[in-house]
Amino acid sequence: MSDIKTIAVLTSGGDAPGMNAAIRAVVRTAVAGGMNVKGVMRGYTGLLGGEFIDLSRRSVSDIARLGGTIIYTARCPEFMTQEGPAKAARILKDAGIDGLIVIGGDGSFRGAQALAANGANVIGIPGTIDLDIGCTDYTIGFDTAVNTAVSAIDNIKDTSMSHERCSIIEVMGRNAGYIALWCEIANGADGILIPEKDEFDEQDLIDNILSNRKKGKTHHIIINAEGIGNSTRLAKRIENATGIETRATVLGHIQRGGTPSAKDRVYAATMGAYAVDLLAGGARNRIIAYKDGKFTDFPIDEALKMKKTIDEYQFMISRLIAMY
Ligand code: ADP
Ligand code: F6P
């Protein structure tokens, strides 16, 4: 066991629904274990500015149901310099912080790795709607974001059907196609464009729309992951090639907000408590994961070497069951 007395928590990178549930679990597990907890405002930017607040049991009351993050988040270019993490490690030491919990995506974990290289003790919790972290099958926020996107696509389908149109729907995910893939399986679509399969053939897509129309299909849905490119221009090209009125909708940041799903609250809370247990047990520089049905953890260096690829079986069946 370690003699950890004070820990800190920050959120970094894009916010994700469920981050607050993780913060609440961190605070309450740590306080129950006799530790003090500081919140670092605005991710690494706030860390470099020494923006600490005290977090008590009561200060995190009733936040599990809130989207966003009560301690704010940021992207911090200074952290990508050599001096940034070195300065941050000194700030943590001077503030008497024995362990830092970083809730964020793989970029944030690279920052955590740099902090660890400067002597800090950091535990990472995967928080991103993109589901693009190699070591884990679950990231905080994906479940809520994909449910938001699926429900938005249901709405678009209604109007697409009424007008007998083709609708291109652009979902988030940066360079990862997981939100798009899940939407395709959940909603059905004439085509899906994801960065992992960027060899897609636009003519095939057009032929598929035309062949479905011939078979009697009266509306068409194309799901486009943002990493692939401009949906409005794609809509114009499809309209010109097929003669079918085509509209593009970019779902954007509505996917990042909103009430976290029960799964996101429960998994995020479990990871928050797990992070504190790791620190209390003397662990150093680990990333928490949900892998093969279990909560687990990996050394940061090992976790960051793991690559996320699209699930080939899911991709294959997504195409098969979408056939008209
Ligand atoms: P996410 O954590 O969601 O992937 P970003 O990629 O934007 O989001 O990363 C969040 C922050 O993490 C960046 O703004 C930067 O402060 C820090 N970060 C990202 N990459 C590195 C890196 N290679 N070294 C140090 N810090 C990094
Ligand atoms: O990483 C989460 C994410 O929402 C990505 O899906 C998207 O590419 C990016 O963040 C958008 O970032 P911003 O909020 O800075 O526009």
Side-chain angles (χ1 to χ4, degrees), residues 12-15 19 43-45 48 73-81 85 102-115 127-130 132-133 174:
S12 166
D15 62 347
M19 281 182 165
Y44 293 134
T45 305
L48 288 170
T73 184
R75 294 201 167 90
C76 173
E78 194 187 340
F79 225 74
M80 321 248 281
T81 64
V102 169
I103 308 171
D106 55 353
S108 303
F109 293 166
R110 295 206 182 277
Q113 187 180 37
L115 269 173
T128 168
I129 65 163
D130 300 341
D132 61 348
I133 299 179
R174 204 184 292 192

Side-chain angles (χ1 to χ4, degrees), residues 8-12 40-41 43-44 47 71-72 100-104:
V9 58
L10 63 77
T11 47
S12 166
V40 184
M41 302 300 284
Y44 293 134
L47 178 55
I71 50 177
Y72 305 142
L100 173 69
I101 295 171
V102 169
I103 308 171

Side-chain angles (χ1 to χ4, degrees), residues 219-232:
H219 69 283
H220 311 274
I221 298 289
I222 310 293
I223 299 171
N224 183 29
E226 66 176 338
I228 281 285
N230 189 286
S231 298
T232 308

